[in-house]
Amino acid sequence: MAEQILRSEYSEVMQKSFIDYSMSVITARALPDARDGLKPVQRRVLYAMEQLGLNYDKPHRKSARIVGDTMGKYHPHGDSSIYETLVVLEQDFKKGMALVDGHGNFGSIEGDGAAAMRYTEAKLKKFTQEVYLADLDKNVVDFVPNFEETEKEPVVLPVRVPNLLINGAEGIAVGMTTNIPTHNLGEVIDATIAYMDNEEITTQELMQYTIGPDFPTGGIVVNKSELLDIYENGSGKIKIRGNVEFESGGKKDKDKLVITEIPYTMIGANIGKFLSDVVDLIETKKIQDIVDVSNESSKEGIRIVLELKKNADIEKIKNILYKKTKLEDTFGVNMLAIVEGRPEILGLKSIIKHHVDFQYELATRKYTTLLNKELDNKEVKEGLIEACNIIDLIIEILRGSKNLKQAKACLMEGDTSDIAFKSPVAKLQASTLRFTERQASAILELRLYKLIGLEIAQLQKEYADTIAKIAEYKNILNSKKSMARVIKKDLEKIKKEYAIDRKTKIIDAEAIVIEEVKMVEQEVVFLMDRFGYAKTIDVAAFERNKEAVFAENKYVFNCMNTDRISIFTDAGNLHQLKVRDLPFTKFRDKGTPIDNISNYDSSVENIIYLTTQDNLKASKLLFVTEMGMMKIVDTEEFDVIKKTVAATKLNDDDKVFGIYRVTNMENIIVVQTTSGRFLKFAIEEVPEKKKNAVGVRGIKLDKGAKVDDIYIISPGSDITIEYAGKEVSFKQMKMGHRDQQGVKK
């Protein structure tokens, strides 16, 4: 076949490829199916466990075996994502109803990771087996070939409850995300039954049954009045607070505020962040009534204890905690799921509708399979009963036949040729037989003990049961009302056995308002020692201890308590912090590491220049790097709100050597290098550039050399320094230009 070249626009090819990729991620990885509420990896993990026979009444099996089977047979994407899925399915603090029974360390609510998969073990929960995996043998769902077409896997699991609501979902696809909160099993079942009773029911009426999310961590939803709109549209913001209880210490102990429930969004590292935030509030004296913070959480539940001063204002402390920490947080709802192969945002009623439609489909396929099975049984039993009535003739046919084929032909078609009969009457009767193939096979396999009178009576009883089942199944399949009755009965049974009490309270609460005491503006003195401990002190204390202040501290300057400190580093970063975030202490108090109250990290960068935002105003800064790059930047560039920004752009392997305030563009700059060269030129030769520019070359460096020192002098100044044992006079030094090598000294 001749080769054919297809010409296409590059942009069109890229667009099509990206759309194909994004749809693959959306449908095959990131989003749950509206029918079973499961992502593909979750579905495959549960199915692999079912295929391994990991029933709730069987021993646990190593997680590594489960992950291996899932990856090898159904999900060829890497073991870490599969194991993380298995772990989350086990964690009852993340799921409304945990689906896996784990044995070993499966992580904690405080963010501790699970042990390696070779150490942990797992099996299915009874709930999962009976509600998520039952009836897979009854052709209730379609099966498709796996990625290598060696195994079959279900397109969807026959989940009998709206799992999309009960266990929620979260996932990041390409250009879209899903975030569905968990709900109470019993309430969701009640809402489902209510929908089945009245398909015209409104979302507001459904919310009489499912009143809102029910998070496994409890907490309090405080915007009840906004939930209707969220459940109508499938998106919105749910405000959650932790539960705070007051414990009186009596005469001996201190009073305590105890956090017993946390917002669902605080799970993991955010618990540690909350503790850190509380400590910061105490250190900055925004909360002055808390004397100690401790985390006493255990397997029994969350218990974060805040010890209080005597006569502390409880309500004020609560309000500050809700306002200033993650103890009140927002859960962004976006109920996005796959419906008929396409992503769709669903409201509460839509989710229940798709689930109920799915249940009708499951029931139709299940009872069709059961009906066909009973029809086959009816056919066989009718044949056996008729055979028992003419058992003597059957025995005579069998004794007269030369082989099985002859006997079967006689039973099915009345073919008596080559069969020896004792009498012509028997031969005539045999010629009228017309058993079906299934009946003939059952008769030929009939054991003699089945001819006992009691066994024949049992056969007739089984036949009657089969007839009753056929009538029942036909009634279910032919009547939607009968099918709905069966589905509702099933749901009520699940609710009775597995429903648990609601954990999350739902109320309407007023927004937290904190009346902050307005800071009195005053002048303070900023101090930072060579170890990075910073603080502010009163001006009067500074005056009393001036000599000791300068002897013990690296940075000392006056500033206002309403100002900001600007920290420029050799990595080219600008970190900012508010003066009021620094501890205002006595002179001899130690202060706080500046790393702890800003984004500056002393382990990876060094401070080059430190000043206040007020001092930067209406001036310019000269930047000089170790490799001799220079530029002048207007300080308005650094008047930003962010805590950290890039102060300058650096070439690879370069660092900021120094930053100098430029007050007079007529001044002269002298650059000294590690190779002993000096270059003197007018500072006005250095161009003004933006902070995100690299700058220009100030001096041509010898190989391996770097900038060693910078001197900024006024014209005509007679400054002499000592270098290599001899004096160097800047006044006598010849004037050069930027980007020269300079003179050797």
Side-chain angles (χ1 to χ4, degrees), residues 502-564:
R502 164 171 280 278
K503 295 178 181 178
T504 301
K505 296 175 186 174
I506 297 182
I507 62 171
D508 265 321
E510 294 181 5
I512 299 296
V513 177
I514 301 174
E515 294 183 8
E516 295 189 13
V517 178
K518 192 173 182 180
M519 180 179 287
V520 178
E521 189 173 359
Q522 69 177 63
E523 187 178 6
V524 294
V525 180
F526 171 84
L527 309 179
M528 191 174 92
D529 64 20
R530 59 191 180 90
F531 300 108
Y533 282 82
K535 62 190 174 188
T536 57
I537 62 171
D538 186 73
V539 175
F542 166 69
E543 294 294 340
R544 289 194 302 270
N545 302 277
K546 188 177 288 189
E547 188 176 334
V549 166
F550 284 106
E552 297 172 11
N553 292 281
K554 187 175 181 180
Y555 295 97
V556 180
F557 51 77
N558 288 36
C559 58
M560 302 304 293
N561 61 353
T562 54
D563 202 357
R564 283 177 288 167

Side-chain angles (χ1 to χ4, degrees), residues 351-368:
I351 291 175
I352 293 175
K353 176 188 180 301
H354 286 299
H355 171 75
V356 170
D357 291 346
F358 181 51
Q359 293 310 300
Y360 280 123
E361 181 188 337
L362 292 179
T364 300
R365 295 181 65 159
K366 174 183 176 180
Y367 287 107
T368 299

Side-chain angles (χ1 to χ4, degrees), residues 471-489:
E472 179 189 352
Y473 297 156
K474 283 184 176 179
N475 179 49
I476 291 171
L477 289 168
N478 295 330
S479 168
K480 187 175 180 180
K481 188 179 288 186
S482 297
M483 187 176 286
R485 194 181 304 118
V486 170
I487 294 171
K488 287 190 285 186
K489 185 178 178 182

Side-chain angles (χ1 to χ4, degrees), residues 188-441:
V188 171
I189 288 175
D190 288 341
T192 305
I193 292 172
Y195 173 82
M196 294 179 72
D197 290 337
N198 174 21
E199 293 187 359
E200 300 302 318
I201 194 170
T202 65
T203 302
Q204 188 170 8
E205 289 169 335
L206 281 172
M207 289 184 67
Q208 294 174 9
Y209 304 95
T210 301
I211 62 174
D214 186 24
F215 296 105
T217 54
I220 308 165
V221 171
V222 295
N223 59 332
K224 182 179 180 180
S225 59
E226 297 175 15
L227 294 183
L228 176 59
D229 187 56
I230 292 171
Y231 283 114
E232 282 274 15
N233 301 316
S235 62
K237 292 182 179 180
I238 294 174
K239 293 179 182 176
I240 329 166
R241 289 180 188 168
N243 187 46
V244 184
E245 297 177 357
F246 174 74
E247 289 184 5
S248 175
K251 294 182 179 180
K252 293 184 179 180
D253 294 328
K254 289 183 172 66
D255 292 342
K256 298 172 183 175
L257 278 181
V258 181
I259 298 162
T260 57
E261 296 174 3
I262 60 173
Y264 186 66
T265 52
M266 199 193 280
I267 290 174
N270 281 331
I271 293 179
K273 176 72 166 56
F274 168 74
L275 295 171
S276 174
D277 288 344
V278 173
V279 171
D280 286 346
L281 289 171
I282 296 169
E283 288 181 347
T284 55
K285 299 186 178 179
K286 290 178 180 175
I287 295 182
Q288 299 185 6
D289 289 335
I290 297 178
V291 296
D292 191 28
V293 185
S294 59
N295 187 0
E296 299 176 6
S297 303
S298 63
K299 289 183 179 179
E300 281 67 47
I302 292 292
R303 183 177 169 84
I304 299 173
V305 180
L306 312 176
E307 289 190 6
L308 308 176
K309 290 180 181 178
K310 192 174 182 180
N311 300 321
D313 188 338
I314 304 300
E315 287 306 312
K316 182 181 178 182
I317 294 171
K318 281 185 182 181
N319 287 345
I320 294 174
L321 291 175
Y322 286 140
K323 192 73 174 177
K324 299 292 186 182
T325 72
K326 289 284 186 181
L327 197 60
E328 178 176 306
D329 206 359
T330 300
F331 183 97
V333 177
N334 192 43
M335 299 200 286
L336 185 71
I338 300 298
V339 179
E340 296 179 357
R342 298 177 65 85
E344 187 177 323
I345 294 179
L346 305 171
L348 175 63
K349 184 177 176 180
S350 298
I351 291 175
I352 293 175
K353 176 188 180 301
H354 286 299
H355 171 75
V356 170
D357 291 346
F358 181 51
Q359 293 310 300
Y360 280 123
E361 181 188 337
L362 292 179
T364 300
R365 295 181 65 159
K366 174 183 176 180
Y367 287 107
T368 299
T369 301
L370 291 175
L371 175 61
N372 291 334
K373 183 180 178 182
E374 292 304 324
L375 288 172
D376 291 345
N377 284 341
K378 174 177 174 288
E379 180 185 336
V380 170
K381 286 180 172 59
E382 285 176 345
L384 290 175
I385 289 170
E386 186 180 345
C388 287
N389 292 334
I390 55 169
I391 193 63
D392 293 335
L393 177 62
I394 299 296
I395 291 172
E396 193 168 338
I397 292 170
L398 295 177
R399 293 185 66 180
S401 299
K402 293 183 178 65
N403 53 49
L404 186 64
K405 186 178 180 181
Q406 271 187 0
K408 195 169 186 179
C410 182
L411 292 173
M412 291 175 60
E413 301 164 5
D415 184 0
T416 57
S417 57
D418 298 328
I419 297 178
F421 288 94
K422 291 182 179 179
S423 66
V425 175
K427 185 174 183 179
L428 182 63
Q429 290 176 335
S431 66
T432 63
L433 296 179
R434 293 295 184 273
F435 289 104
T436 65
E437 183 177 1
R438 189 177 283 109
Q439 289 173 333
S441 297

Side-chain angles (χ1 to χ4, degrees), residues 450-465:
K450 289 288 185 180
L451 301 176
I452 298 171
L454 287 176
E455 289 293 334
I456 294 173
Q458 178 64 26
L459 178 62
Q460 291 172 335
K461 182 177 181 301
E462 289 174 0
Y463 178 69
D465 290 342

Side-chain angles (χ1 to χ4, degrees), residues 87-157:
V87 168
V88 171
L89 289 173
E90 191 274 345
Q91 293 175 330
D92 55 7
F93 53 84
K94 283 190 178 177
K95 293 292 179 185
M97 297 292 291
L99 303 180
V100 170
D101 180 3
H103 188 204
N105 176 16
F106 274 82
S108 75
I109 194 171
E110 296 179 54
D112 301 315
M117 67 180 83
R118 62 183 178 274
Y119 299 122
T120 59
E121 299 177 340
K123 63 180 179 179
L124 294 167
K125 280 187 173 286
K126 184 182 179 185
F127 173 73
T128 315
Q129 269 185 250
E130 295 186 351
V131 181
Y132 286 65
L133 295 162
D135 299 331
L136 273 173
D137 58 339
K138 295 182 177 65
N139 189 35
V140 290
V141 294
D142 292 330
F143 280 73
V144 293
N146 68 344
F147 62 93
E148 59 182 4
E149 299 188 354
T150 57
E151 301 278 343
K152 293 280 190 179
E153 62 173 311
V155 173
V156 65
L157 291 185

